[in-house]
């Protein structure tokens, strides 16, 4: 790697030397910057070294000065050099804020956020990360979108704003999953698991699933650093879950793989605590003594607490009091280092303001979308309503024409029947001719009945009655009966195709009441006695009694002829 880096730098410097023979100074700087940019992703250390070779960056053109400021800050960040001033990156921010280069503008705000994060100016960092995130989303740069939301999640997690932090890490997880970036996904799962642990016992199972998933990813991509972090966090989780055998398994694995001695103190504490609960006092004392050397007050306090418990079990009262006093001292010291309230309040305020701005922006767009959809929908509604009415009008016109045509044919058949009956009466002596005329009359009756049935079935009220009959037959109780509105429709529509059937009937038989007329209308329409009983909510025997009553009022000779009489009337 070092050999390749030397070759790369030698190549770049040689190119610059050759190019300098016929190029001005500012052009040389531009070549260096472009080459440094191309090396930034794969060889950030080479990029930093190359940028350091630029003499008098103030002599560069303004565009190159801004480019140089952005690249140098980026190179330092990628080489884990802590930022101590924001003066350099602000050169890039001021320049690109006045230009249309959204990609570099986004990067300048992102690295300003990173500088402010290193300088503990967290409120500014959060604002700048949010600005960078919006721009990254705009140009669909998934890498910087991920980095922005992941850094926001990290800052909020460090200040115990767990729900807000998890919201950003959830976005980061979605971005990593969509981009098939296993490493970023593993890191995000690790952070979300840590948040779940911090939330408490209710979220431990959720944390375990994420950690095991992150561990598989870390091993698949052979990333030792992420694997070590996941293993250490698993040990801490199982310590909280009181699964002490699992604590020993994972923490010992962590210690064997972790080269950084400062990162081992937490594992020493977890192992000491596990052995303490398992009753293995010697092992517990060994690891707790090691963890007590930690520079971290929280780790020291936990170590001394367990050491005090061990001494008390062994009836070593003086040692027990000593350890407990030490625990109290470091507990008080750790309590004296709380998260600054004003910082947490400020971060909450920024997040809330950003959420409000986002929802205002979203609401504004939603309003325009709703208006647009309403206009389009109204247009479609008007169009389809017009087409429906037009189509319905055409259908009604066709139906009315057909109805009127069939009615006219029916009237002609009635006229033909009357004429044939008159001729038959006049030809009583001529049996052969009468027989022939009666045959013609029967044919006309058949044609008339066919036309009548076609007209009858086309009536809306007839169709409603058929549906009502089917419904009532399915229901044993709560049947729907013919009401006054339906009765009025029966009379009006039946009269329209029968030359005022009910008027002629009442003129001839004025003794018939309303129920008698309804009974006769339903017979005229072809319904049987059981159908009529279902319509009226009565028994079949009551329908036969109604028939007999009507026959008596009409003084018909045969009760069974009422159906035929009504059909021919």
């Amino acid at each position: 790697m070092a050999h390749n880096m030397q070759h790369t730098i030698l190549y770049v410097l040689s190119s610059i030397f050759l190019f300098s023979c016929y190029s001005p100074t500012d052009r040389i700087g531009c070549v260096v910057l472009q080459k440094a940019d191309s090396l930034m992703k794969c060889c950030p250390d080479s990029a930093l070294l190359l940028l350091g070779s630029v003499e008098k960056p103030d002599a560069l053109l303004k565009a190159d000065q801004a480019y140089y400021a952005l690249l140098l800050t980026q190179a330092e960040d990628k080489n884990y050099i802590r930022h101590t001033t924001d003066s350099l990156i602000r050169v890039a921010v001021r320049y690109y804020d006045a230009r249309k280069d959204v990609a570099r503008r986004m990067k300048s705000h992102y690295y300003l956020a990173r500088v402010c994060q290193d300088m503990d100016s967290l409120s500014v960092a959060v604002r700048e990360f949010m600005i960078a995130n919006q721009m990254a989303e705009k140009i669909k740069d998934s890498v910087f979108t991920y980095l922005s939301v992941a850094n926001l999640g990290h800052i909020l997690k460090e200040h115990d704003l767990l729900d807000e932090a998890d919201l950003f890490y959830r976005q980061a997880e979605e971005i990593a999953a969509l981009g098939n970036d296993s490493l970023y996904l593993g890191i995000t799962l690790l952070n979300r698991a840590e948040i779940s642990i911090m939330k408490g016992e209710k979220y431990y199972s959720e944390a375990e699933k994420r950690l095991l998933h992150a561990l598989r990813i870390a091993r698949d991509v052979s990333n030792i650093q992420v694997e070590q972090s996941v293993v250490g966090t698993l040990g801490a989780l199982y310590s909280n879950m009181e699964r002490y055998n699992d604590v020993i398994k994972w923490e010992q694995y962590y210690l064997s793989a972790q080269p950084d001695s400062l990162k081992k103190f937490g594992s020493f504490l977890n192992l000491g605590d596990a052995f303490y609960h398992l009753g293995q006092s010697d092992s517990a004392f060994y690891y707790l003594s090691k963890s007590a050397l930690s520079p971290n007050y929280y780790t020291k306090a936990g170590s001394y607490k367990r050491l005090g418990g061990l001494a008390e079990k062994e009836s070593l009262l003086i040692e027990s009091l000593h350890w407990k006093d030490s625990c109290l001292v470091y507990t008080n010291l750790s309590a004296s280092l709380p998260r600054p309230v004003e910082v947490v309040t400020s971060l909450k305020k920024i997040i809330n303001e950003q959420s409000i701005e986002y929802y205002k922006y979203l609401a504004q767009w939603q309003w325009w979308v709703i208006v647009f959809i309403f206009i389009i929908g109204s247009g479609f509604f008007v169009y389809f309503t017009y087409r429906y009415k037009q189509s319905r009008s055409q259908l009604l016109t066709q139906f009315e024409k057909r109805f009127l045509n069939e009615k006219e044919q029916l009237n002609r058949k009635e006229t033909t029947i009357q004429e044939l009956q008159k001729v038959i009466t006049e030809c009583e002596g001529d049996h052969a001719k009468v027989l022939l005329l009666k045959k013609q009359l029967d044919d006309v009756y058949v044609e008339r009945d066919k036309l009548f049935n076609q007209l009858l079935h086309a009536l809306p009220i007839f169709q409603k009655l058929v549906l009502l009959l089917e419904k009532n037959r399915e229901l044993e109780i709560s049947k729907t009966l013919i009401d006054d509105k339906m009765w009025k429709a029966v009379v009006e529509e039946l009269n329209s195709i029968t030359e005022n059937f009910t008027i002629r009937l009442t003129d001839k038989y004025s003794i018939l009441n309303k129920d008698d007329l309804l009974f006769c209308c339903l017979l005229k329409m072809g319904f049987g006695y059981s159908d009529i009983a279902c319509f009226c909510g009565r028994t079949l025997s009551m329908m036969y009694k109604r028939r007999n009553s009507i026959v008596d009022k009409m003084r018909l000779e045969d009760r069974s002829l009422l159906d035929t009489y009504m059909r021919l009337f």
Side-chain angles (χ1 to χ4, degrees):
M1 178 67 184
H3 182 68
N4 290 337
M5 183 183 73
Q6 290 173 359
H7 274 286
T8 301
I9 295 170
L10 183 60
Y11 168 75
V12 173
L13 293 176
S14 300
S15 300
I16 294 168
F17 174 76
L18 292 172
F19 197 80
S20 66
C21 295
Y22 51 88
S23 297
T25 305
D26 53 9
R27 184 57 188 161
I28 297 172
C30 183
V31 173
V32 173
L33 298 180
Q34 289 174 355
K35 188 60 184 178
D37 198 356
S38 67
L39 293 170
M40 193 67 69
K41 185 174 182 180
C42 61
C43 305
D45 51 347
S46 300
L48 181 61
L49 188 60
L50 192 56
L51 289 167
S53 70
V54 176
E55 296 181 0
K56 298 180 180 180
D58 293 341
L60 297 172
L61 297 173
K62 285 188 177 181
D64 290 339
Q65 287 182 27
Y67 194 20
Y68 171 82
L70 174 59
L71 290 175
L72 184 57
T73 307
Q74 186 177 0
E76 289 176 347
D77 193 66
K78 284 182 171 290
N79 283 281
Y80 306 102
I81 298 173
R82 186 175 181 84
H83 304 287
T84 57
T85 176
D86 63 351
S87 58
L88 182 64
I89 188 60
R90 286 193 182 276
V91 173
V93 172
R94 284 193 297 270
Y95 181 82
Y96 291 118
D97 274 349
R99 302 296 185 276
K100 294 183 179 180
D101 191 337
V102 182
R104 290 184 183 175
R105 186 183 176 197
M106 175 268 295
K107 287 183 180 180
S108 66
H109 280 281
Y110 172 80
Y111 284 107
L112 175 58
R114 285 287 300 117
V115 169
C116 292
Q117 190 176 6
D118 278 357
M119 296 170 63
D120 292 325
S121 183
L122 298 180
S123 298
V124 179
V126 168
R127 289 186 189 279
E128 293 301 320
F129 277 132
M130 286 183 168
I131 293 170
N133 180 42
Q134 290 176 356
M135 293 181 186
E137 287 180 345
K138 184 177 180 180
I139 62 175
K140 297 181 180 179
D141 189 321
S142 59
V143 173
F144 277 91
T145 303
Y146 172 86
L147 291 173
S148 298
V149 295
N151 274 288
L152 284 166
H154 174 74
I155 292 172
L156 296 171
K157 185 184 78 169
E158 289 298 303
H159 289 80
D160 295 330
L161 297 173
L162 302 181
D163 291 332
E164 293 85 349
D166 194 51
L167 180 64
F168 284 109
Y169 275 125
R170 190 181 302 127
Q171 293 178 38
E173 183 180 340
E174 291 172 0
I175 295 165
L178 287 172
N180 293 319
D181 194 316
S182 299
L183 181 58
Y184 280 167
L185 180 59
I187 294 169
T188 307
L189 288 169
L190 170 59
N191 280 283
R192 293 198 70 191
E194 289 176 348
I195 290 172
S196 297
I197 294 171
M198 293 166 75
K199 283 184 175 181
E201 185 177 355
K202 181 180 176 182
Y203 300 91
Y204 285 167
S205 60
E206 187 179 285
E208 183 181 19
K209 289 178 183 177
R210 287 178 178 147
L211 287 171
L212 293 175
H213 187 189
L215 183 61
R216 288 194 299 272
I217 292 172
R219 287 174 172 173
D220 288 342
V221 300
S222 302
N223 191 295
I224 298 172
Q225 289 80 8
V226 175
E227 182 181 353
Q228 288 172 350
S229 298
V230 173
V231 169
T233 308
L234 271 170
L237 171 64
Y238 290 137
S239 179
N240 290 348
M241 297 174 74
E242 299 180 0
R243 289 166 54 176
Y244 299 116
N245 289 320
D246 288 326
V247 174
I248 294 170
K249 169 188 171 183
W250 289 105
E251 291 293 12
Q252 287 182 340
Y253 176 78
Y254 177 79
L255 290 175
S256 67
Q258 178 55 259
D260 190 345
S261 58
L262 289 175
K263 294 182 179 179
K264 293 182 177 182
F265 290 112
S267 294
F268 290 148
L269 175 59
N270 289 332
L271 281 168
D273 183 67
F275 283 119
Y276 172 84
H277 283 95
L278 292 173
Q280 299 180 35
S281 300
D282 292 341
S283 297
F285 182 80
Y286 172 77
Y287 284 110
L288 290 172
S289 297
K290 281 179 168 289
S291 66
L293 301 175
S294 170
N296 185 284
Y297 293 158
Y298 295 97
T299 305
K300 280 181 174 291
S303 303
Y304 290 134
K305 179 181 178 181
R306 285 286 171 256
L307 285 169
L310 278 175
E312 190 174 354
K313 281 185 178 180
E314 299 292 332
S315 300
L316 302 172
L317 299 180
I318 296 175
E319 288 83 349
S320 175
L321 289 172
H322 170 69
W323 297 129
K324 287 182 179 180
D325 287 342
S326 298
C327 173
L328 182 61
V329 168
Y330 285 105
T331 300
N332 291 334
L333 285 172
S334 61
S336 68
L337 299 172
R339 299 287 185 227
V341 176
E342 62 274 12
V343 173
V344 175
T345 305
S346 176
L347 292 177
K348 277 189 174 181
K349 184 179 179 182
I350 293 169
I351 297 298
N352 291 335
E353 285 176 356
Q354 186 67 21
S355 299
I356 291 169
E357 288 299 318
Y358 173 75
Y359 285 117
K360 281 182 178 178
Y361 171 79
L362 189 63
Q364 184 181 11
W365 275 105
Q366 284 179 338
W367 171 251
W368 285 111
V369 169
I370 290 169
V371 170
F372 176 75
I373 292 173
F374 176 76
I375 292 171
I376 297 297
S378 299
F380 276 110
F381 176 77
V382 171
Y383 173 75
F384 284 113
T385 301
Y386 170 76
R387 288 295 303 272
Y388 172 75
K389 287 183 177 179
Q390 190 178 43
S391 175
R392 182 176 174 81
S393 176
Q394 291 175 353
L395 289 173
L396 287 173
T397 302
Q398 293 173 3
F399 173 77
E400 288 173 357
K401 286 182 179 179
R402 192 183 71 181
F403 184 82
L404 292 173
N405 182 48
E406 290 177 351
K407 188 175 179 181
E408 186 178 346
Q409 292 181 47
L410 182 63
N411 291 336
R412 284 202 295 269
K413 295 298 179 184
E414 292 290 354
T415 303
T416 302
I417 289 171
Q418 292 175 6
E419 291 175 351
L420 284 172
Q421 288 175 339
K422 184 178 179 181
V423 172
I424 289 171
T425 303
E426 293 174 351
C427 300
E428 286 185 355
D430 192 343
H431 295 290
K433 191 174 182 179
V434 168
L435 189 63
L436 181 61
L437 289 171
K438 283 186 176 181
K439 186 177 182 308
Q440 290 179 0
L441 182 62
D442 289 339
D443 292 339
V444 175
Y445 274 135
V446 171
E447 292 174 1
R448 184 201 64 175
D449 291 344
K450 182 179 179 181
L451 283 170
F452 175 75
N453 286 330
Q454 289 176 354
L455 287 169
L456 182 66
H457 291 178
L459 294 177
I461 189 61
F462 181 84
Q463 296 171 8
K464 287 182 181 179
L465 288 172
V466 171
L467 291 174
L468 179 63
L469 183 62
E470 292 176 355
K471 180 181 176 182
N472 283 351
R473 281 175 176 168
E474 292 175 357
L475 300 173
E476 295 184 1
I477 57 174
S478 302
K479 295 183 178 181
T480 304
L481 307 180
I482 296 179
D483 55 19
D484 290 340
K485 185 178 179 180
M486 291 187 72
W487 160 237
K488 185 178 179 181
V490 167
V491 172
E492 289 179 355
E493 294 185 26
L494 185 59
N495 283 341
S496 69
I497 63 170
T498 57
E499 296 183 354
N500 298 319
F501 169 77
T502 59
I503 295 174
R504 292 185 289 108
L505 190 63
T506 51
D507 285 346
K508 187 170 183 179
Y509 303 105
S510 57
I511 196 172
L512 296 177
N513 59 33
K514 180 180 176 181
D515 291 336
D516 295 336
L517 281 175
L518 177 59
F519 189 89
C520 293
C521 286
L522 294 174
L523 285 178
K524 179 72 173 177
M525 297 174 81
F527 292 106
Y529 292 105
S530 61
D531 299 336
I532 300 172
C534 194
F535 285 135
C536 300
R538 298 289 187 270
T539 62
L540 184 60
S541 61
M542 291 183 69
M543 294 301 100
Y544 283 116
K545 288 180 181 179
R546 171 69 64 183
R547 180 199 65 180
N548 296 339
S549 172
I550 293 171
V551 168
D552 291 340
K553 290 178 182 180
M554 292 181 174
R555 297 182 181 179
L556 299 178
E557 295 179 359
D558 190 345
R559 299 180 186 278
S560 63
L561 294 177
L562 180 62
D563 301 14
T564 305
Y565 184 72
M566 287 297 104
R567 190 175 71 252
L568 298 175
F569 187 83

